[in-house]
């Protein structure tokens, strides 16, 4: 099985351990067969809408679904009869009453909602099928789609409930009396009792919850269980009435549409994100799993899952783009030998650019991606320039990821966090100021890329620095020139030196000279709005710049700054062009222009590749 974010299994294990000691509550005994369950059984499972499964404890132990069947059958009834028909027979008002209360609305005789027994019995009677057998088969088929495999009925539990379910029989007769149902009540209850006796595991329930989170499509199998138009109807009934007479408090504290069953299961749904299931048979006074409630409360708080939390939905994809150093590298000029090493070893550095709101759900996607897609990498850079916010749960996941990567002798750094006070604050709060140094060691993505390229080059035994001066005759643009032509070119060149930090030229300058960099290193920066700059290239000795302004005879488009003490030879192109009628100057010009064209073509190819990754 693919390990998505393995530290989440650890988190669930810890949660399991914490709540295993909670012994509150009693196993349901009004259906005698239910008492045979192992009261200590305890499982927790989460399935995300991407199909990632996280589970711990007794997640494969079968037990009966009981009332968690209610929202599922309500969905089938909506599909089989249409919204209006169902609404005329089953209302959607929270009753605040116990699940088995014998009460119908005074004026209409309708059950108050589909999550209490009266509404649920009516809903199962309204499932398509000419016979009870056909109805229960339809129910089994649909539930199996939710679970992702064929489910079966526990006939011992069914018989046990059938022989003791007089209260439900009374509810059935009341429904018949109110003209909500016209079928034989024993047959109706046979379907309802069988539906409640379908065996599921905690893992199955998490799939079911995730199917509801995923607009009705099981995210693991891709099979649709409920048409998407009915999903919001089912979820709103769960949100307002799913936890019996504890529904209000549940929504207030935990904030997720949910449904519990007296078999000990609870499902909770965070729409568009994930489904949760907990199985623990000891029930509180309201008939909800006591541990189940405690675990869901902890999950909702720890992972910030409350559906009405301020930072809820983010529609932006969290992974904006991902690449390694063979696919896109820094803007720093490198010689051929260096480029060979980087294209051979560049897979050891993975870069993931994240965007949008970082919360548990989006960070789970991000960290799972790192765990599953960067297995070849030794260094991982997560760039957060475009992350708009970060909550505590996201910070926790990033820390767990860091710990995991460290245990694998890998490094993680976060770039683009300088103005993300939320993220840095939470991370520092969780692991302490001292420990975060490595994570925030380099903030600028370009600098991080250069740093890791340098490491790869050093590992390959090559100095990453081009410190040797490159005289004119060795300049790539001059490779095809004869000594005479070089001599001629020299007559048009002016030598200029720039101490580190000095501007060679500014964006907007009326300067169309071409520069050959003989020694040093210069940076090219594109001015953006609000005083920000985009570092577009670092040129080392042997490189040239200024060709665009020269060719187009336009103003400079970027700032050029000496990074180290630098020496340039500047070609005054206007002066050069004044001699354009001289034959040998024409040859020189042609050779120079072809070399520039070749260089531009290479740059364009790289830019195309970069655009490809940025629009990934
Ligand atoms: N079969 C059970 C009943 O109707 C389901 C109750 C429940 O899970 O809440 O009594």
């Amino acid at each position: 099985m693919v390990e998505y974010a393995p530290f989440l299994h650890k988190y669930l294990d810890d949660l399991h351990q914490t709540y295993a000691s909670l012994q509150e509550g009693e196993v349901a005994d009004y259906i005698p067969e239910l008492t045979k369950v192992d009261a200590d059984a305890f499982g927790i499972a989460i399935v995300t809408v991407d199909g990632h499964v996280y589970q711990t404890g007794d997640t494969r132990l079968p037990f009966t679904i009981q009332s968690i069947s209610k929202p599922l059958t309500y969905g089938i009834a909506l599909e089989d009869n249409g919204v209006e028909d169902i609404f005329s027979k089953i209302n959607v008002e929270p009753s605040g009453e116990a699940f088995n209360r014998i009460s119908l609305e005074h004026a209409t005789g309708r059950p108050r909602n589909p999550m209490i027994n009266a509404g649920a019995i009516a809903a199962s009677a309204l499932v398509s099928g000419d016979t009870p057998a056909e109805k229960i088969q339809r129910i089994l088929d649909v539930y199996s789609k939710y679970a992702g495999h064929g489910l079966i009925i526990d006939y011992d539990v069914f018989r046990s409930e059938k022989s003791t379910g007089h209260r439900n029989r009374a509810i059935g007769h009341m429904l018949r009396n109110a003209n909500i149902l016209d079928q034989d009540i024993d047959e109706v209850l046979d379907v309802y009792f069988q539906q409640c006796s379908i065996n599921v595991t905690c893992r199955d329930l998490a799939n079911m919850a995730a199917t509801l989170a995923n607009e009705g499509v099981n995210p693991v199998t891709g099979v649709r269980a409920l048409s998407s138009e009915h999903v919001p109807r089912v979820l709103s009934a769960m949100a307002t009435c799913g936890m019996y007479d504890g529904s209000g408090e549940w929504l207030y504290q935990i904030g997720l549409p949910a449904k519990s069953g007296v078999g000990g299961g609870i499902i909770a749904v965070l729409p568009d994100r994930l489904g949760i299931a907990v199985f623990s048979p000891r029930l509180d006074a309201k008939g909800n799993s006591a541990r189940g409630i405690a675990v869901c409360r902890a999950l909702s708080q720890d992972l910030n899952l409350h559906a009405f939390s301020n930072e809820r939905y983010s529609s932006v994809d969290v992974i904006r783009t991902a690449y390694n150093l063979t696919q896109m590298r820094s803007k720093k000029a490198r010689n051929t030998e260096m480029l060979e090493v980087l294209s051979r070893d560049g897979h050891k550095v993975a870069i993931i650019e994240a965007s949008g709101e970082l919360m548990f759900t989006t960070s789970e996607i991000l960290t799972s991606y790192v765990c599953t897609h960067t297995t070849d990498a030794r260094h991982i850079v997560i760039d957060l320039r475009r992350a708009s916010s970060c909550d505590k749960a996201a910070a926790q996941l990033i820390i767990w990821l860091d710990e995991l990567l460290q245990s694998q002798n890998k490094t993680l750094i976060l770039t683009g966090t300088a103005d993300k006070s939320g993220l840095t604050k939470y991370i520092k709060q969780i692991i302490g100021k001292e420990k975060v140094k490595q994570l925030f060691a380099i903030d600028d993505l370009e600098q991080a890329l250069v740093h890791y390229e340098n490491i790869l080059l050093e590992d390959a035994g090559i100095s990453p620095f081009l410190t040797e001066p490159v005289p004119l005759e060795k300049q790539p643009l001059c490779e095809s020139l004869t000594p005479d032509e070089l001599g001629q070119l020299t007559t048009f060149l002016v030598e200029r030196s720039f101490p580190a930090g000095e501007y060679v030229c500014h964006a907007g300058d009326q300067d169309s000279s071409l520069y050959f960099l003989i020694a040093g290193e210069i940076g090219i920066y594109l001015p953006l709005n609000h005083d920000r700059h985009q570092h577009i290239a670092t040129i080392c000795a042997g490189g040239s710049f200024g060709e665009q302004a020269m060719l187009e005879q336009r103003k400079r488009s970027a700032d050029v700054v000496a990074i180290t003490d630098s020496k340039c030879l500047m070609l005054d192109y206007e002066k050069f062009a004044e001699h354009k009628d001289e034959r040998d100057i024409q040859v020189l010009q042609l050779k120079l222009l072809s070399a520039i064209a070749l260089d531009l073509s290479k740059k364009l190819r790289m830019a195309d590749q970069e655009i490809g990754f940025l629009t990934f």
Side-chain angles (χ1 to χ4, degrees):
M1 195 180 105
V2 190
E3 279 280 310
Y4 295 104
F7 35 81
L8 277 176
H9 293 288
K10 161 114 187 21
Y11 164 74
L12 289 187
D13 286 347
D14 291 348
L15 202 64
H16 189 276
Q17 209 180 352
T18 308
Y19 289 99
S21 56
L22 185 84
Q23 300 283 322
E24 246 170 58
E26 301 295 333
V27 171
D29 58 4
Y30 75 100
I31 302 172
E33 194 66 23
L34 289 184
T35 57
K36 295 193 176 158
V37 72
D38 172 5
D40 289 323
F42 184 20
I44 310 171
I46 295 180
V47 175
T48 70
V49 293
D50 296 305
H52 299 177
V53 180
Y54 302 99
Q55 53 187 329
T56 185
D58 302 311
T59 55
R60 301 188 186 272
L61 212 63
F63 56 96
T64 51
I65 188 167
Q66 297 300 336
S67 275
I68 301 171
S69 64
K70 288 171 179 167
L72 311 187
T73 296
Y74 180 57
I76 304 176
L78 283 167
E79 277 193 344
D80 291 353
N81 302 269
V83 184
E84 272 176 36
D85 242 31
I86 289 298
F87 190 63
S88 71
K89 298 201 162 84
I90 309 167
N91 201 357
V92 285
E93 283 310 323
S95 63
E97 288 171 345
F99 69 101
N100 57 2
R101 179 77 189 261
I102 306 182
S103 78
L104 302 176
E105 264 177 8
H106 295 303
T108 60
R110 280 186 303 180
R112 290 216 159 77
N113 66 63
M115 301 296 134
I116 53 170
N117 285 10
I121 292 169
S124 36
L126 292 165
V127 168
S128 293
D130 292 336
T131 61
E134 277 180 27
K135 287 180 194 282
I136 192 65
Q137 192 54 52
R138 167 136 175 81
I139 290 172
L140 263 176
D141 288 347
V142 174
Y143 287 20
S144 299
K145 288 182 187 164
Y146 274 101
H149 66 99
L151 298 176
I152 54 167
I153 296 170
D154 181 334
Y155 284 102
D156 290 336
V157 174
F158 163 64
R159 278 188 291 269
S160 180
E161 186 168 7
K162 185 176 159 116
S163 62
T164 54
H166 307 301
R167 200 178 170 89
N168 282 330
R169 221 163 271 128
I171 293 175
H173 285 290
M174 264 180 41
L175 290 169
R176 174 101 191 234
N177 181 55
N179 285 328
I180 299 295
L181 301 182
D182 56 7
Q183 295 105 317
D184 178 293
I185 290 309
D186 282 329
E187 286 189 3
V188 168
L189 286 168
D190 264 7
V191 175
Y192 173 71
F193 291 148
Q194 286 181 75
Q195 141 190 333
C196 291
S197 305
I198 290 174
N199 262 343
V200 287
T201 63
C202 183
R203 164 77 204 267
D204 292 338
L205 289 183
N207 281 347
M208 291 171 163
T211 302
L212 288 170
N214 194 36
E215 291 179 16
V217 174
N218 180 318
V220 180
T221 61
V223 173
R224 179 170 290 286
L226 176 64
S227 71
S228 61
E229 63 163 314
H230 295 310
V231 172
R233 299 188 175 108
V234 171
L235 288 177
S236 17
M238 286 168 67
T240 50
C241 324
M243 301 299 281
Y244 312 122
D245 35 344
S247 297
E249 191 180 335
W250 168 280
L251 193 61
Y252 187 80
Q253 287 188 351
I254 295 163
L256 299 170
K259 187 72 202 86
S260 64
V262 293
I266 293 187
I267 62 170
V269 179
L270 180 58
D272 207 24
R273 304 293 166 168
L274 51 83
I276 299 170
V278 185
F279 167 53
S280 171
R282 286 199 194 88
L283 310 180
D284 64 13
K286 292 179 175 157
N288 297 314
S289 164
R291 274 183 194 151
I293 293 203
V295 166
C296 288
R297 192 184 295 127
L299 281 169
S300 172
Q301 276 168 10
D302 292 351
L303 309 180
N304 188 19
L305 301 181
H306 199 294
F308 304 136
S309 150
N310 292 339
E311 290 173 357
R312 203 41 37 232
Y313 305 104
S314 155
S315 54
V316 186
D317 284 339
V318 62
I319 299 173
R320 186 170 179 270
T321 184
Y323 48 91
N324 63 41
L325 284 182
T326 65
Q327 296 161 316
M328 196 147 88
R329 23 171 226 93
S330 77
K331 309 285 183 295
K332 183 162 176 139
R334 303 289 188 183
N335 66 22
T336 322
E337 189 189 19
M338 293 171 166
L339 291 177
E340 271 165 19
V341 171
L342 294 179
S343 63
R344 188 192 66 203
D345 296 341
H347 62 276
K348 294 180 184 163
V349 182
I351 299 96
I352 296 106
E353 296 190 22
S355 64
E357 294 167 15
L358 293 187
M359 56 187 96
F360 169 73
T361 46
T362 50
S363 308
E364 186 271 333
I365 296 172
L366 178 67
T367 51
S368 292
Y369 184 91
V370 174
C371 296
T372 50
H373 286 76
T374 64
T375 43
D376 277 359
R378 290 208 335 250
H379 307 286
I380 288 111
V381 179
I382 299 183
D383 183 58
L384 296 169
R385 261 175 312 168
R386 291 183 179 80
S388 53
S389 67
C390 171
D391 73 5
K392 202 167 177 175
Q396 181 64 72
L397 255 70
I398 291 174
I399 289 165
W400 281 334
L401 176 68
D402 184 41
E403 286 168 0
L404 176 79
L405 294 174
Q406 279 184 32
S407 73
Q408 299 168 343
N409 286 324
K410 297 180 174 187
T411 60
L412 171 69
I413 64 162
L414 307 175
T415 57
T417 64
D419 55 350
K420 306 281 179 313
S421 53
L423 177 82
T424 42
K425 180 186 81 196
Y426 287 132
I427 292 191
K428 282 176 188 160
Q429 245 174 35
I430 299 171
I431 53 172
K433 273 199 173 102
E434 272 313 296
K435 282 203 189 154
V436 300
K437 278 199 185 123
Q438 168 66 26
L439 269 179
F440 297 117
I442 308 174
D443 195 59
D444 179 60
L445 177 61
E446 170 65 13
Q447 270 179 30
L449 299 186
V450 171
H451 171 75
Y452 285 116
E453 284 174 7
N454 290 352
I455 289 183
L456 294 184
L457 293 170
E458 274 164 354
D459 286 352
I462 295 180
S463 162
F465 305 106
L466 291 168
T467 42
E468 286 296 299
V470 179
L472 189 66
E473 63 275 18
K474 294 262 172 59
Q475 294 271 323
L477 289 190
C478 300
E479 260 167 8
S480 66
L481 303 189
T482 64
D484 280 354
E485 288 163 344
L486 271 174
Q488 243 170 355
L489 179 63
T490 312
T491 62
F492 296 103
L493 298 176
V494 180
E495 189 179 301
R496 292 187 58 190
S497 293
F498 301 94
E502 187 164 304
Y503 275 79
V504 177
C505 56
H506 290 87
D509 282 358
Q510 197 73 54
D511 166 18
S512 54
S513 321
L514 174 72
Y515 290 80
F516 296 96
L517 186 59
I518 302 299
E521 204 173 277
I522 65 111
I524 303 190
Y525 304 88
L526 199 63
L528 305 172
N529 44 11
H530 308 305
D531 276 346
R532 289 180 313 124
H533 284 80
Q534 166 87 30
H535 185 160
I536 51 175
T538 301
I539 296 179
C540 303
S544 54
F545 56 93
E547 69 281 358
Q548 273 166 288
M550 177 195 89
L551 292 171
E552 295 178 51
Q553 289 293 300
R554 285 178 49 173
K555 293 179 181 165
R556 293 281 177 214
S557 55
D559 294 334
V560 181
V561 185
I563 296 173
T564 62
D565 292 347
S566 302
K567 198 168 86 181
C568 297
L569 288 174
M570 188 183 94
L571 171 66
D572 182 342
Y573 197 74
E574 271 177 42
K575 198 165 148 206
F576 185 58
E578 278 166 18
H579 297 261
K580 62 179 181 305
D581 296 333
E582 295 168 26
R583 173 134 177 79
D584 41 357
I585 296 292
Q586 281 173 350
V587 173
L588 180 58
Q589 198 175 19
L590 193 67
K591 283 189 172 178
L592 213 50
L593 287 177
S594 331
I596 291 173
L598 196 67
D599 190 47
L600 282 176
S601 158
K602 282 184 193 157
K603 286 181 183 156
L604 195 59
R605 195 188 301 273
M606 271 186 64
D608 282 348
Q609 194 172 354
E610 197 164 313
I611 291 166
F613 279 106
L614 293 178
T615 48
F616 149 98

